[in-house]
């Protein structure tokens, strides 16, 4: 089954050299594992290490008809509308090849959906090119503006909120939530999903922002604001994605900010 | 006793209109209450509401020989070297009078020690004037650069660390610590003090940074880095200033970041 023209979602390809199907590839893995619930209709994964294989097969979920191709140029032939950058480059810095791919994508009228720590809008070359070609550079890790302080209203919400905290970074928070969402729907509930990290922002959700880059005074407030948006959609149960983990020396406060901001009825570690 | 020329510290005056001796004036109150432990030799408080009184008398600690004067111009006659902005202006925005005072201070060769949310270095008029007159604009609330992630080494430190968390904002954290420091010294200990907020940054301490504006991923790391600096001074007991409070809906994560970053042997609420 080829997904092209199956739906009205933006057609995207994801750059994931050397990472697809590995722990480092969690963002690229997620858009395939939950392609049905994704915000993007994923046409192909770009990873020369696994070129020629089917993306679903690599992840053990059966053939999905989504090819893994060796290069951006190959992916371009599928006429994608967006390029997803979901996998951190080795060493952190954008390799020259990636920069060329991004520029080529912009020149082909594609939006760039960027989950990396580097902001493309802050790169003059990308910013000018995007302006020239009228495409969007979406820096998902950019902290939201107009931050507000939590006022503690979350403590009196009636809708059950479940914080999915997990016990470490990159150990399955957003994957777990997608399974909970499927189960809740199957059981006849109307569940909501609040995304707090860049991987989950590529999936359909009620509200989203990257929490880990927010000044600490405002982190709980942002979680409260997002969760309230989900409540206002009339959900019967809401899953809030945690960040870091309670036991992590550096990211423990991130987990705590999620707890302070959604004051859950239950947590899942 | 007039403090002029008593010591080698920078001679400063503090702007505190309408706030000195009140809860809103905590920063200005602190530099008088603990003037002996202060980083600045405070020559006068500027507060027209209490002009003519002695600063120590207003705070109930007896005559200190530090006058409260009605205007910046009056304070200028004492030949101060720095102007402390420690009290938030009503409504948050700098009133015209304060702007004029700051400009006059700069033109008189004074450094500006700024604990407000507004950064003076980001104000082109102040920044240019400071450059012209060769004075420093010290924005104490500016988050430090070169932030690091906590690595959890605090969990194996041998020196007893005491986190002074308190039960609300503005209820006496840095005042309590100054009393603990005095008591510890009197009992023969060599105590250390880690400042995490702008009020405490006006007092002598082992290490300091405003924690509440740091992106949450790095907040615990900054506390760990600061506390380590105090340990490296060979202290026998270290008091770490908390931020917010554990029960505060918005500032709870700030308190948690202090706990994660210094992993205390004891906490004081």
């Amino acid at each position: 089954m080829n997904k092209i023209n199956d739906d009205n979602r933006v057609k995207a390809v994801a750059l994931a050299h050397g990472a697809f199907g590995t722990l480092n590839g969690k963002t690229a893995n997620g858009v395939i594992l939950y392609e049905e619930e994704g915000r993007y209709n994923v046409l192909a994964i770009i990873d020369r290490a696994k070129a020629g294989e089917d993306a679903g097969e690599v992840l053990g979920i059966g053939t999905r008809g989504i090819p893994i191709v060796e290069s951006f140029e190959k992916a371009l032939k599928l006429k994608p509308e967006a390029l997803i950058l979901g996998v951190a480059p080795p060493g952190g810095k954008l390799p020259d090849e990636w920069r060329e791919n991004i520029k080529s994508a912009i020149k082909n009228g594609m939006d760039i959906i960027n989950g990396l720590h580097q902001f493309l809008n802050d790169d003059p070359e990308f910013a000018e090119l995007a302006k020239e070609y009228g495409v969007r550079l979406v820096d998902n890790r950019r902290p939201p503006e107009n931050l507000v302080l939590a006022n503690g209203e979350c403590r009196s919400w009636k809708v059950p909120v479940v914080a999915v905290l997990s016990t470490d970074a990159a150990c399955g928070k957003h994957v777990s939530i997608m399974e909970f969402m499927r189960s809740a729907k199957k059981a006849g509930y109307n569940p909501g999903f609040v995304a707090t990290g860049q991987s989950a922002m590529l999936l359909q959700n009620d509200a989203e922002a990257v929490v880990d880059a927010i000044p600490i005074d405002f982190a709980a407030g942002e979680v409260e604001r997002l969760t309230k948006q989900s409540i206002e959609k009339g959900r019967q149960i809401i899953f809030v994605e945690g960040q870091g983990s309670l036991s992590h020396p550096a990211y423990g406060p991130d987990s705590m900010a999620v707890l302070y901001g959604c004051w859950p009825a239950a947590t899942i570690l």
Side-chain angles (χ1 to χ4, degrees), chain A residues 177-192:
Chain A
I177 290 180
M178 297 316 288
E179 294 297 329
F180 299 150
M181 290 289 287
R182 285 181 176 180
S183 299
K185 283 176 189 166
K186 200 177 287 179
Y189 289 93
N190 174 16

Side-chain angles (χ1 to χ4, degrees), chain A residues 3 7 9 29-42 61 64 174-186 191 193 199-206 208:
Chain A
K3 289 268 182 179
D7 55 38
R9 294 176 299 171
N29 302 344
V31 297
I32 297 301
L33 281 174
Y34 300 99
E35 207 275 339
E36 287 173 47
E37 293 96 333
R39 296 175 60 161
Y40 302 95
N41 175 353
V42 181
I61 56 168
R64 279 290 186 276
H174 83 274
V175 166
S176 302
I177 290 180
M178 297 316 288
E179 294 297 329
F180 299 150
M181 290 289 287
R182 285 181 176 180
S183 299
K185 283 176 189 166
K186 200 177 287 179
F193 168 28
S199 293
M201 288 169 73
L202 300 178
L203 304 174
Q204 286 171 17
N205 57 61
D206 284 349
E208 60 176 25

Side-chain angles (χ1 to χ4, degrees), chain A residues 40-258:
Chain A
Y40 302 95
N41 175 353
V42 181
L43 305 182
I45 295 291
I46 305 163
D47 180 357
R48 66 171 58 87
K50 295 201 169 63
E53 299 187 55
D54 178 274
E57 292 286 346
V58 168
L59 298 179
I61 56 168
T63 304
R64 279 290 186 276
I66 303 173
I68 304 178
V69 299
E70 67 187 51
S71 66
F72 174 75
E73 290 71 22
K74 281 271 169 70
L76 201 51
K77 293 180 181 160
L78 301 170
K79 302 196 189 310
E81 301 160 329
L83 174 65
I84 296 171
L85 302 178
V87 172
K93 193 164 169 283
L94 281 182
D96 286 345
E97 183 198 359
W98 292 35
R99 292 191 64 91
E100 290 308 315
N101 291 169
I102 293 167
K103 287 191 277 182
S104 173
I106 294 172
K107 289 176 185 170
N108 279 281
M110 295 165 68
D111 291 338
I112 314 293
I113 313 302
N114 175 32
L116 307 183
H117 283 282
Q118 298 94 331
F119 297 143
L120 300 184
N121 284 294
D122 292 348
D123 185 305
E125 190 177 11
F126 294 143
E128 278 173 38
L129 210 57
K131 201 173 167 192
E132 184 182 341
Y133 285 87
V135 304
R136 294 188 312 145
L137 305 177
V138 182
D139 288 320
N140 271 341
R141 281 186 187 267
R142 173 93 65 186
E145 295 181 358
N146 303 318
L147 292 166
V148 292
L149 292 172
N151 61 19
E153 64 182 284
C154 55
R155 300 182 190 194
S156 51
W157 288 337
K158 303 298 181 209
V159 182
V161 172
V162 179
V164 180
L165 299 180
S166 86
T167 55
D168 201 352
C171 76
K173 281 183 277 283
H174 83 274
V175 166
S176 302
I177 290 180
M178 297 316 288
E179 294 297 329
F180 299 150
M181 290 289 287
R182 285 181 176 180
S183 299
K185 283 176 189 166
K186 200 177 287 179
Y189 289 93
N190 174 16
F193 168 28
V194 174
T196 60
Q198 56 92 15
S199 293
M201 288 169 73
L202 300 178
L203 304 174
Q204 286 171 17
N205 57 61
D206 284 349
E208 60 176 25
V210 158
V211 166
D212 61 14
I214 293 178
I216 189 164
D217 260 6
F218 297 99
E222 184 63 14
V223 173
E224 195 176 62
R225 191 181 71 81
L226 296 175
T227 310
K228 195 176 177 185
Q229 289 176 20
S230 187
I231 285 175
E232 286 167 353
K233 289 178 193 284
R235 303 305 187 188
Q236 294 171 300
I237 182 170
I238 295 169
F239 298 99
V240 178
E241 183 192 21
Q243 282 300 310
S245 75
L246 291 173
S247 58
H248 194 286
Y251 305 143
D254 303 62
S255 271
M256 290 304 305
V258 170

